[in-house]
Amino acid sequence: RAAARRLELAPRRFTSMDGLRLGLLGNSKLNADNILEAVGELLQARYSIKSVLHNKKPSFSHPAPEAMRDEMVAECDVVIAGVGD
């Protein structure tokens, strides 16, 4: 039996989403964009989100293209990746 490991979360830089730039990344599967749009709207209603950048991967089976990843790193403080089906 493997010994239980304690996993720790990465340090959090933000205590609120107020003023943050939000990124939404869909995986191109059915309903991923709808779910992400709903999550984005809920977060905008709750927080003073500065901006929202919504991207969609060309294929669910491949990583996001490097240019898309670079754009999100440069333009977003927080990114939510969504999976649909």
Side-chain angles (χ1 to χ4, degrees), residues 19-39:
L20 296 185
R21 302 168 301 160
L22 175 64
L24 303 172
L25 178 63
N27 72 341
S28 76
K29 283 192 169 187
L30 183 65
N31 293 320
D33 289 328
N34 295 337
I35 292 167
L36 284 171
E37 286 293 329
V39 169

Side-chain angles (χ1 to χ4, degrees), residues 12-80:
R12 300 298 183 242
R13 291 179 28 201
F14 310 110
T15 57
S16 170
M17 290 191 69
D18 288 326
L20 296 185
R21 302 168 301 160
L22 175 64
L24 303 172
L25 178 63
N27 72 341
S28 76
K29 283 192 169 187
L30 183 65
N31 293 320
D33 289 328
N34 295 337
I35 292 167
L36 284 171
E37 286 293 329
V39 169
E41 289 172 7
L42 288 170
L43 290 173
Q44 286 179 295
R46 178 172 280 183
Y47 301 99
S48 298
I49 300 292
K50 183 175 182 177
S51 64
V52 178
L53 173 62
H54 193 159
N55 276 326
K56 180 178 177 178
K57 293 183 356 171
S59 169
F60 68 87
S61 61
H62 295 95
E66 186 175 355
M68 184 182 292
R69 293 191 315 258
D70 291 345
E71 176 188 31
M72 295 195 92
V73 167
E75 300 297 325
C76 303
D77 299 305
V78 175
V79 175
I80 298 173

